[in-house]
Amino acid sequence: MNNNEKNTVFMEEDDNGDEDYYFSEDEDSEEGGENTRVEKEGDEEEDDDGEYIDENGDGEDDEDDDYYEDEPDDDDDGSAIDIAQFLNAGVQPARVHQLLALIQAFHGSAGYPVRRRPRTPSPPPEPDRERGNELLNSGEFGRVNSAYVPPRENKRNVAGRLWMRELKPRSVNPLALGESILPSDPGKVVDEYEDSAYSGQYSEDGSLFATCDKDFKLRIYKTAGDKLIRDRVIQGSPGRWTITDHNLSLDNHWLIYSSITPYVYLTRTAADAPKTHHQLDFSTGEGDGGLWSIRFSGDGREIVAGGRGRIYVYDIESRTVIHSVNAHTNDVNAVCFAEPTSSQVLFSGSDDRLVKVWDRRSMGTGANCTPSGVLVGHSEGITYVTSKGDNRYLASNGKDQKMLLWDLRKMYSGQDRKLPRIRDTGFDYRQGYYPGRRSYKVPGDCSVMTFQGHSVLKTLIRCHFSPVHSTGQRYLYTGSSDGKVYIYRLDGTLARTLDTCAAFQRYAKVHDPPSLIARDVSWHPYHPTITSSVGSWYTSHDVEGGIVQHSFTRNDGIESDHSDVSDAELRPAPPLRRRFRFAF
């Protein structure tokens, strides 16, 4: 290229706010001054919004390397760049769009536009099964040997396992036989709503199931085995946008619910109870906003709530806020108690990507509040936090498409001023894809296990531990934005997926399955039944929302201990003996 020929790069902003780059030549050039546009793909923000850092020093762009935000360029104000002067100065291009403009200038402006290939979503990495097996063999997640299964012996037949229990009673624990029985497809639609269902949970004893919806209605169902019978529909007090959360007291007599306001409403659950909604004011005049998560204490006397960067502890009897803690730098999406019988230790998860542990006996008040510990591991905001109930383990769902398992013995101190720095990517989970690397690990990650495969998009999707009575809490399960329920083993592998969209497709008798999101899921504490609360977000469908139930079926309900053995290689079940009676 002749240095006398001036090729100029211009920058524009289109209607969507994206930067488009193109260059033109002078009228004296041989190409006739024809302009060619070099466009920046909208879904490639992560490739050119920061400076590339080679972390491992191998000179290659691999998954261990990262991109960090750089300072704004001088050419980002809409001014032109003279490429000839740019090259003569010996300046190396620091951004991708500058390099593309230089390549286009060398090959002539009349060529084809240069476009970068969009990055495809990265697959989830292989889980650390060795660490998961160590947790499983620790005895803290159910029995170490849940049930005796003879090798190559009818791995999917419940009758075969019961037969072995009777034949060798000492080798099979009858109380642990149900730990391998999981809910399965096909699911059935229990109830259809006029709007999206936001959450739904079984009570502690499994006798009730309660849901809250975007249409400000709360529905209470009674359980009869694995069946749900609608008992009462409660019209909630008006709020903003939706009911964000609800919770049943341990005695099942009271129900609380919240919205994007600083108020919580308390009402009775009985069908013949008065339709009275008691308003509990959580406002303290310190930047109060909406409440995203609420929970009853074990004795039913207090309520913990998470709002706009704050945690509240409310005393129901005195109708006062006991604690109002400036806990996080962003919205607190989830709060819970560490133990169901105690209200001293709290967990909170926020959009600031941190999970914090609070001890009410030492947390302080106002600006002097200090958490007992901090858990670092999520690279995006946290949507939900749930406790195992033993004051040691908890799990969280994050917008980085990960569910993490935590051990409180590995947390950072709340007084540590040198916590690992987590970069802010500006990712908006309401869009339809996650552009980040699923294999990315936050520096200083203190989680003990990672579960990946589900998607956390468009809404705050929740996760839980499996019931202690029927499974020993050896599984973790979560909803997903693809309308499925994901059940993970403790070693990080996927045990089963349950499709709620297929259930609504059969229910509505439509050709294509509706695009639904399983926002919340709940496993019955005693039966192998999972009920999902689903809805359609930012879309319009014939199906808006409802609840779907998946129960154990005989054909595909047993969690196999021999997944690497095919059915053809299994020895058939022993034949039944015929008994004869003789009359004398």
Side-chain angles (χ1 to χ4, degrees), residues 248-308:
L248 286 167
S249 60
L250 288 183
D251 57 7
N252 297 338
H253 293 167
W254 296 95
L255 174 69
I256 55 175
Y257 62 95
S258 62
S259 183
I260 313 179
T261 61
Y263 303 104
V264 172
Y265 295 91
L266 177 70
T267 186
R268 289 274 188 177
T269 59
D272 55 352
K275 298 180 180 180
T276 305
H277 299 257
H278 304 277
Q279 186 185 75
L280 310 179
D281 189 0
F282 278 63
S283 60
T284 59
E286 300 177 355
D288 303 297
L291 301 178
W292 302 104
S293 178
I294 53 175
R295 286 294 177 270
F296 266 117
S297 61
D299 54 8
R301 296 181 178 180
E302 296 176 339
I303 299 173
V304 60
R308 184 179 298 174

Side-chain angles (χ1 to χ4, degrees), residues 515-558:
S515 179
L516 299 174
I517 296 177
R519 190 181 192 271
D520 196 8
V521 286
S522 182
W523 198 320
H524 193 281
Y526 300 103
H527 299 287
T529 300
I530 284 182
T531 304
S532 309
S533 302
V534 302
S536 59
W537 269 259
Y538 309 113
T539 55
S540 178
H541 296 286
D542 295 335
V543 178
E544 293 295 335
I547 55 176
V548 179
Q549 189 178 74
H550 291 82
S551 300
F552 164 76
T553 58
R554 180 178 179 182
N555 295 331
D556 193 22
I558 291 291

Side-chain angles (χ1 to χ4, degrees), residues 97-386:
H97 72 266
Q98 297 174 353
L99 180 60
L100 290 175
L102 290 176
I103 295 174
Q104 185 72 19
F106 274 114
H107 290 281
S109 62
Y112 294 99
V114 178
R115 293 179 179 271
R116 285 169 293 144
R117 184 177 60 183
R119 175 181 293 172
T120 57
S122 59
E126 289 294 327
D128 190 355
R129 302 186 64 176
E130 182 178 354
R131 180 182 295 182
N133 290 329
E134 291 178 0
L135 292 172
L136 188 60
N137 295 328
S138 65
E140 297 176 341
F141 294 86
R143 300 167 183 85
V144 176
N145 296 320
S146 61
Y148 172 80
V149 181
R152 301 178 180 273
E153 190 73 42
N154 204 352
K155 65 174 183 177
R156 305 190 127 196
N157 196 339
V158 180
R161 293 195 179 190
L162 294 175
W163 177 78
M164 288 303 302
R165 185 185 69 177
E166 297 297 329
L167 183 64
K168 299 180 179 180
R170 294 184 178 181
S171 61
V172 178
N173 192 331
L175 298 178
L177 190 61
E179 291 185 354
S180 57
I181 299 178
L182 302 181
S184 59
D185 281 325
K188 63 177 181 180
V189 177
V190 177
D191 204 351
E192 182 181 0
Y193 300 160
E194 297 178 356
D195 219 323
S196 299
Y198 260 64
S199 66
Q201 286 294 307
Y202 283 102
S203 59
E204 289 293 329
D205 59 359
S207 61
L208 295 180
F209 182 81
T211 65
C212 68
D213 317 309
K214 190 178 176 181
D215 56 0
F216 286 90
K217 291 182 180 178
L218 299 105
R219 296 170 175 85
I220 299 177
Y221 301 83
K222 287 187 176 180
T223 61
D226 59 349
K227 297 181 179 180
L228 295 179
I229 303 173
R230 185 191 292 182
D231 182 57
R232 186 183 182 187
V233 178
I234 303 173
Q235 180 61 52
S237 296
R240 291 182 58 191
W241 182 250
T242 182
I243 294 179
T244 55
D245 200 7
H246 80 287
N247 190 231
L248 286 167
S249 60
L250 288 183
D251 57 7
N252 297 338
H253 293 167
W254 296 95
L255 174 69
I256 55 175
Y257 62 95
S258 62
S259 183
I260 313 179
T261 61
Y263 303 104
V264 172
Y265 295 91
L266 177 70
T267 186
R268 289 274 188 177
T269 59
D272 55 352
K275 298 180 180 180
T276 305
H277 299 257
H278 304 277
Q279 186 185 75
L280 310 179
D281 189 0
F282 278 63
S283 60
T284 59
E286 300 177 355
D288 303 297
L291 301 178
W292 302 104
S293 178
I294 53 175
R295 286 294 177 270
F296 266 117
S297 61
D299 54 8
R301 296 181 178 180
E302 296 176 339
I303 299 173
V304 60
R308 184 179 298 174
R310 307 190 69 86
I311 296 176
Y312 305 90
V313 179
Y314 189 91
D315 183 77
I316 299 177
E317 184 176 358
S318 62
R319 302 293 177 92
T320 57
V321 177
I322 302 176
H323 295 283
S324 176
V325 179
N326 190 12
H328 293 268
T329 59
N330 212 324
D331 288 342
V332 180
N333 295 325
V335 291
C336 67
F337 289 100
E339 293 180 283
T341 58
S342 175
S343 59
Q344 297 299 331
V345 181
L346 310 173
F347 300 145
S348 63
S350 169
D351 276 333
D352 62 4
R353 304 173 295 279
L354 296 177
V355 177
K356 293 187 178 182
V357 183
W358 306 88
D359 192 335
R360 293 177 55 188
R361 295 162 291 191
S362 61
M363 64 189 300
T365 58
N368 299 321
C369 60
T370 302
S372 300
V374 181
L375 299 170
V376 179
H378 281 290
S379 60
E380 301 292 346
I382 296 167
T383 63
Y384 196 72
V385 173
T386 181

Side-chain angles (χ1 to χ4, degrees), residues 21-23 34-41 100-101 103-105 107-117:
Y21 297 89
Y22 70 96
F23 69 94
E34 184 175 351
N35 296 337
T36 303
R37 180 175 296 272
V38 180
E39 192 171 273
K40 182 171 74 72
E41 297 287 348
L100 290 175
I103 295 174
Q104 185 72 19
H107 290 281
S109 62
Y112 294 99
V114 178
R115 293 179 179 271
R116 285 169 293 144
R117 184 177 60 183

Side-chain angles (χ1 to χ4, degrees), residues 489-505:
R489 304 180 186 91
L490 201 59
D491 60 359
T493 58
L494 185 62
R496 186 156 301 168
T497 58
L498 309 175
D499 194 349
T500 62
C501 298
F504 263 103
Q505 181 184 12

